[in-house]
Amino acid sequence: MMNETQTLITLGGYVDVVKYRYVYFVLWFIVYVLILCCNCTIIFIIWIHRNLHEPMYIFIAALSLNSLLFSTAIYPKLFVDVLSHRQSVSHTACILQLFFFYTLGGSDFILLSAMAFDRYVSICKPLQYATTMSTTTVTIFLVLGWFLPASQMIVATAINAKQKLCHFTLAGIICNNSIQKLYCVKPRIITVLDSFILTNITFIPVLFILFTYIKILMVAYRSCGEVRKKAAETCLPHLMVLISFSCLCSFDVIIARLELDLSKTVRLIMSLQVVVYNPLFNPIIYGVKMKEIWKHIKRLFCLKNMK
């Protein structure tokens, strides 16, 4: 009898994959290449220009690195699936994808929190910025950004991997918490642990970000036009990324926690937004909205006449 780690799980979230398999492949391949190019450009520009070796830009580069890792954990499998006659994944591979999906997603929230704190110190306490946002502080934020989600997800992943499956068709195209619907019995510890992780790597960072930006808005409102301009230029891209990312992540919570029975088309569309929007549009938002990065992008691609 086939053991649990060799069990194949059917990915039942595709719509007319036989009819549109090459359309799926071409579109996703184009998106993946764009994700690689956009994020590598942001990382390269920040890496080579010393004037961008500041906390804010280092955190942006870390977000772009996360997008590269996230996309690499998702897209190659999508390519294989749409070109195969059967869309399936082994239980082990599914659990591994689940680990990277939530680890990197949680890392994004913590890095966005670090960026919010950086903006708070820069705008609200500018005289303390050099000492507060030191190299040591930035390093601690980066380590926590990857270590905290990974350490918690290792425990959750290990528990999920031990669960016995009674159903073998996943209502999606990627492995997320929807896999819990395949378990014969879902232990209470999984629900408790999922709620604990969700609070630690999502709710608390979001509340912290909202608190810091409220403080920034209060200081900017009472300050001169230069401070308001600085707040708008540096905070607006972060807020755009946070809002879009939070809205997309809420879909996973709605599906996994509330167990809503959505149509296959709606699930596919929302899943595609999760794997497309954030990795692709984040570097575009930062590249266009952050003046220093945009200046170097124009020089890199000889776009000197663009404003």
Side-chain angles (χ1 to χ4, degrees), residues 65-82:
L65 178 60
N66 267 9
S67 293
L68 290 175
L69 296 174
F70 178 85
S71 300
T72 302
I74 299 295
Y75 278 90
K77 182 65 173 69
L78 294 181
F79 299 154
V80 173
D81 287 338
V82 296

Side-chain angles (χ1 to χ4, degrees), residues 74-94:
I74 299 295
Y75 278 90
K77 182 65 173 69
L78 294 181
F79 299 154
V80 173
D81 287 338
V82 296
L83 295 179
S84 302
H85 293 291
R86 181 183 179 184
Q87 291 71 49
S88 61
V89 60
S90 70
H91 184 231
T92 302
C94 193

Side-chain angles (χ1 to χ4, degrees), residues 262-274:
L262 301 177
S263 69
K264 183 182 291 189
T265 302
V266 172
R267 285 176 180 270
L268 178 62
I269 292 173
M270 292 305 298
S271 297
L272 290 178
Q273 289 190 62
V274 171

Side-chain angles (χ1 to χ4, degrees), residues 9-14 168-176 178-179 181-182 251 255 260-264 266-268 271:
I9 298 172
T10 299
L11 300 171
Y14 288 94
F168 303 94
T169 300
L170 188 70
I173 61 173
I174 56 177
C175 292
N176 52 19
S178 295
I179 193 177
K181 295 183 179 181
L182 308 184
F251 167 72
I255 294 300
L260 296 181
D261 187 19
L262 301 177
S263 69
K264 183 182 291 189
V266 172
R267 285 176 180 270
L268 178 62
S271 297

Side-chain angles (χ1 to χ4, degrees), residues 17-87:
V17 66
V18 175
K19 183 178 181 180
Y20 298 112
R21 68 170 72 250
Y22 296 111
V23 176
Y24 279 130
F25 178 82
V26 171
L27 290 178
W28 288 348
F29 182 77
I30 292 173
V31 169
Y32 184 50
V33 170
L34 288 174
I35 288 172
L36 294 179
C37 292
C38 291
N39 285 285
C40 286
T41 298
I42 294 294
I43 295 172
F44 175 73
I45 286 175
I46 294 173
W47 178 271
I48 65 172
H49 294 288
R50 294 189 62 84
N51 67 315
L52 299 182
H53 293 182
E54 298 178 4
M56 177 175 63
Y57 299 110
I58 292 173
F59 293 138
I60 290 175
L63 282 174
S64 288
L65 178 60
N66 267 9
S67 293
L68 290 175
L69 296 174
F70 178 85
S71 300
T72 302
I74 299 295
Y75 278 90
K77 182 65 173 69
L78 294 181
F79 299 154
V80 173
D81 287 338
V82 296
L83 295 179
S84 302
H85 293 291
R86 181 183 179 184
Q87 291 71 49

